[in-house]
């Protein structure tokens, strides 16, 4: 597949991302793909529950996590060697074909666990190459000065897909069972492919250029890790992200469920708290999408992490549901702000030739390692109670902000104008 490049005459035009048809095509493709993902998970969980026991359904739902975590770094190498656009198009095409195949199978026969487990395994494997490529693609479709705005637009797409995907998946299941929901997911993912094919790329130096024949994939991976380790901003930024996510994931997943149960809020109350968090995070993404830039990004991200950690520790001591929703809104706003700023700094400070590998490392930290804190958080809550664990998690999260404040290169990091 030959990538379509933006003509040289228009390369210097830094049109605002929200008015750039090229960026909007990419955003439409990304939103459709994320919507398809949300519907897919609803369909998979429903089909797995129908085909087996709750324990077996849980295994099917978790099957994709292992290949995603193990292969993510290799996916970053692949994105940098082959080019992110090719990898994203290929990933979406494979995911679409697999989901539609399972939809047809479920329509023709009864649901079974093995096809669902194989689909989940394939999805996790493809995600391992899809996610780094998605992170590397924005730098090829717009100027550096618009990357922060694109990061905010991407965050909004994720939030919108999360909100709309669940009811769409539920509607598909209600109308035609799991097979209809899978078909809907496949069609949504299919929408992204022609849109991605129409996206034009900027000819940035060093990016999307296949590695020389003498360079192995392993050597590329090692080179990417050395690049991060030697970078005066990216290395401490990765540490700050890791600490922030480790302190954030446990309380906002396992801890929140137990908190809602002990306070008597029930599932509906927990849903309101999660809605507050989502609204805050969406507002942070909207802020960056509209403004396009936040001055003194490194310093703002550091203080947002610190303030967010205080809010996390406070959540365990709020007795009323209304207050908890308000605190969750604040947590979402601060965590969302630090998250989009960290993502924007990764996008703008990384050499395009390494962007796939850098995104892969950040994804492994957030999606592969941070969830490991959940069983420890659950065990600690059982042993010590909600309050001490929330406070400890908040302290771990706050250490990420301390790192950002103490490292001058990160503290003084700026987004391009």
């Amino acid at each position: 597949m030959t990538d379509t490049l933006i003509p040289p005459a228009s390369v210097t035009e830094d049109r605002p991302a929200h008015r750039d048809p090229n960026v909007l095509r990419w955003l439409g493709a990304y939103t459709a793909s994320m919507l398809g993902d949300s519907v897919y998970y609803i369909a998979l969980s429903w089909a797995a529950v129908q085909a087996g026991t709750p324990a077996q359904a849980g295994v099917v739902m978790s099957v994709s996590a292992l290949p995603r975590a193990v292969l993510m770094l290799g996916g970053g190498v692949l994105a940098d060697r082959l080019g992110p656009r090719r990898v994203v198009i290929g990933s979406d095409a494979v995911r679409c074909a697999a989901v539609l195949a399972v939809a047809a199978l479920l329509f023709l026969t009864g649901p079974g666990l093995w096809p669902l487990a194989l689909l989940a395994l394939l999805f996790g494997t493809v995600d391992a190459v899809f996610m780094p490529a998605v992170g590397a693609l924005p730098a090829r479709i717009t100027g550096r000065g618009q990357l922060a705005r694109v990061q905010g637009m991407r965050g909004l797409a994720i939030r919108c897909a999360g909100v709309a995907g669940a009811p769409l998946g539920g509607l598909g299941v209600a109308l035609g069972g799991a097979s209809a929901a899978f078909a809907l997911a496949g069609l949504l993912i299919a929408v992204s492919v022609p849109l991605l094919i129409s996206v034009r790329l900027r000819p940035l130096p060093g990016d999307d250029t296949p590695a020389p024949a003498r360079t192995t994939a392993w050597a590329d991976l090692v080179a990417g890790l050395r690049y991060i380790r030697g970078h005066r901003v990216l290395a401490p930024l990765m540490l700050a992200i890791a600490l922030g996510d480790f302190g954030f994931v446990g309380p906002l997943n396992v801890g929140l469920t137990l908190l809602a149960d002990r306070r008597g809020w029930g599932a509906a109350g927990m849903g309101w708290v999660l809605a507050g968090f989502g609204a805050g995070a969406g507002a942070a993404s909207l802020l960056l999408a509209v403004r396009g830039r936040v001055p003194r990004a490194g310093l703002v991200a550091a203080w947002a992490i610190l303030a967010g950690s205080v809010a996390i520790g406070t959540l365990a001591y709020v007795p009323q549901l209304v207050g908890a929703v308000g605190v969750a809104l604040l947590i979402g706003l601060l965590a969302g702000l630090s998250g989009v700023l960290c993502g924007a700094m990764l996008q703008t400070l990384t050499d395009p030739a390494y962007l796939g590998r850098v995104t892969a490392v950040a994804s492994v930290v957030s999606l592969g390692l941070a969830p490991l804190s959940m069983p420890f958080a659950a065990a600690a809550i059982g042993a010590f109670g909600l309050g001490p664990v929330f406070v400890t998690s908040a302290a771990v999260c706050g250490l990420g902000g301390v790192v950002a404040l103490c490292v001058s290169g990160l503290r003084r990091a700026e987004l391009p104008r």
Side-chain angles (χ1 to χ4, degrees), residues 69-175:
V70 171
L71 301 176
M72 187 79 74
L73 295 179
V77 172
L78 193 65
D80 286 335
R81 289 173 71 94
L82 300 182
R85 179 173 173 271
R86 295 187 183 96
V87 173
V88 171
I89 292 173
S91 299
D92 270 350
V94 170
R95 295 195 305 166
C96 174
V99 172
L100 290 178
V102 171
L105 181 65
L106 293 181
F107 180 76
L108 296 173
T109 65
L113 286 174
W114 282 111
L116 299 176
L118 288 174
L119 175 63
L121 186 66
L122 177 61
F123 231 76
T125 302
V126 175
D127 271 353
V129 298
F130 173 81
M131 296 174 69
V134 163
L137 191 54
R140 296 302 314 272
I141 62 176
T142 190
R144 290 183 71 251
Q146 295 299 316
L147 284 175
R149 177 172 276 127
V150 169
Q151 191 70 19
M153 294 165 67
R154 180 184 174 189
L156 283 174
I158 293 172
R159 297 298 166 190
C160 291
V163 170
L168 277 176
L171 179 63
V173 169
L175 293 178

Side-chain angles (χ1 to χ4, degrees), residues 307-359:
S309 69
V310 173
I312 289 172
T314 303
L315 184 61
Y317 297 96
V318 178
Q320 300 298 325
L321 177 59
V322 174
V325 172
V327 173
L329 181 69
L330 181 62
I331 294 172
L333 181 63
L334 294 169
L337 180 61
S338 62
V340 294
L341 287 177
C342 288
M345 286 189 286
L346 284 176
Q347 287 279 324
T348 55
L349 298 175
T350 302
D351 185 325
Y354 292 93
L355 198 46
R357 282 162 284 182
V358 170
T359 303

